[in-house]
């Protein structure tokens, strides 16, 4: 049995706090509308009195080269992220 490596998305894989012009080469912009993000944004907009405003997808920067690099590690990868199971459906395919 291989050891597990816990992997986070926001920060380690998605440099979300970086300024667009400071982003490193290789990162691609993705607009992802996960069910949890959509529900949270819908609640936020409704609370602000904007129940009919469209929910904008989440902007995520990911580097597709990280997928093969992570896959080559001698670990079983386990998502340890607020994305929870949505990481499998939305982040993994990009990587």
């Amino acid at each position: 049995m291989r050891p597990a490596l816990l992997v986070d998305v926001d920060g380690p894989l998605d440099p979300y706090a970086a300024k667009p012009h400071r982003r490193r080469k290789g990162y691609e912009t993705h607009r992802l509308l996960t069910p949890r993000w959509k529900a949270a944004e819908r609640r936020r907009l409704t609370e602000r009195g904007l129940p009919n405003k469209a929910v904008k997808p989440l902007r995520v920067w990911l580097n597709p080269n990280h997928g093969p690099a992570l896959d080559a590690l001698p670990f079983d990868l386990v998502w340890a992220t607020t994305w929870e199971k949505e990481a499998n459906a939305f982040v993994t395919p990009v990587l």
Side-chain angles (χ1 to χ4, degrees):
M1 185 162 100
R2 299 186 322 169
L5 176 65
L6 305 179
V7 182
D8 192 6
V9 175
D10 300 320
L13 294 177
D14 171 21
Y16 67 93
K19 302 289 184 211
H21 65 282
R22 303 281 316 260
R23 195 175 35 151
R24 292 185 179 196
K25 287 178 75 173
Y27 284 85
E28 299 171 352
T29 301
H30 300 272
R31 305 282 179 186
L32 305 177
L33 189 55
T34 71
R36 287 180 56 229
W37 173 259
K38 185 175 182 178
E41 285 298 289
R42 173 61 46 225
R43 281 191 302 275
R44 188 181 66 79
L45 290 169
T46 299
E47 289 169 1
R48 292 179 59 202
L50 303 166
N52 297 320
K53 185 171 181 175
V55 173
K56 290 184 181 179
L58 178 63
R59 190 250 323 130
V60 181
W61 289 327
L62 295 170
N63 185 329
N65 294 319
H66 289 162
L70 286 167
D71 195 41
L73 296 173
F75 302 102
D76 289 328
L77 303 178
V78 178
W79 289 119
T81 175
T82 58
W83 284 73
E84 297 178 353
K85 64 183 178 183
E86 289 180 333
N88 286 328
F90 291 89
V91 177
T92 300
V94 175
L95 297 178

